[in-house]
Amino acid sequence: MTRLTPEDLEAARDRLVPDVVADGLSVLFCGINPGLMTAATGHHFARPGNRFWPVLHRSGFTPRLMKPAEQGELPGLGLGITNVVARATARADELSAEEFRAGGRLLARKVIRLRPRWLAVVGVTAYRAAFEDRRARIGPQERTIGSSRVWVLPNPSGLNAHWTVATMAEEYGRLRSAAERP
């Protein structure tokens, strides 16, 4: 990958990154919003240090460690990626409460249209803000969206020091096991 300059990253601010989706996925992973590295490259979870791809592999969702540029292979594995808020920012705290609520409404419509078996929101704080559910915890939720079940996963950002790759892989693995059950 070509080395991106700070100017390249700043030019990616507010860009939209296309979802990686298909109808009837097993799991639709939902990030908070694209970071500037994701927006600059067009690849979800592209920032070095983000642990999404290693955790996806260690939890058994992918047969090998994939690179962000290989995200197009996910639908063939029954997986997809979207975001609560589409707008790219340097940090999630640049998003307003209204952007999260509006993103939650748009996400719900997308889930009803795409019908994944599970919606997996990566980040409990984002889930709480998008769906105004202050009591939400990591794990399966009582809420359903259409016929889709909802699971809240730990945020794989390198800034989330509360979770290691190993402990995140365990939680993601719990979802994988649930998604494999009929």
Side-chain angles (χ1 to χ4, degrees), residues 19 28-35 38 44-45 50 52 80-87 92 95 100 103-104 107 110 119-127 130-131 153-157 172:
D19 292 339
L28 177 59
F29 291 96
C30 181
I32 298 169
N33 76 307
T38 287
H44 292 272
F45 301 102
N50 188 298
F52 178 78
I81 304 175
T82 188
N83 286 287
V84 173
V85 176
R87 176 173 83 84
L95 301 171
F100 275 109
L107 177 59
K110 186 179 302 183
L119 169 66
V121 179
V122 297
V124 69
T125 303
Y127 177 82
F131 294 101
L153 293 167
N155 186 337
S157 166
Y172 282 56

Side-chain angles (χ1 to χ4, degrees), residues 60-111:
F61 275 110
T62 61
R64 62 180 173 76
L65 177 59
M66 296 174 70
K67 295 179 175 81
E70 297 173 304
Q71 66 186 14
E73 296 178 29
L74 290 177
L77 299 171
L79 308 173
I81 304 175
T82 188
N83 286 287
V84 173
V85 176
R87 176 173 83 84
T89 62
R91 296 180 321 276
D93 65 5
E94 296 176 41
L95 301 171
S96 70
E98 181 48 38
E99 282 180 286
F100 275 109
R101 287 189 297 273
R105 291 188 296 271
L106 290 171
L107 177 59
R109 288 198 291 273
K110 186 179 302 183
V111 168

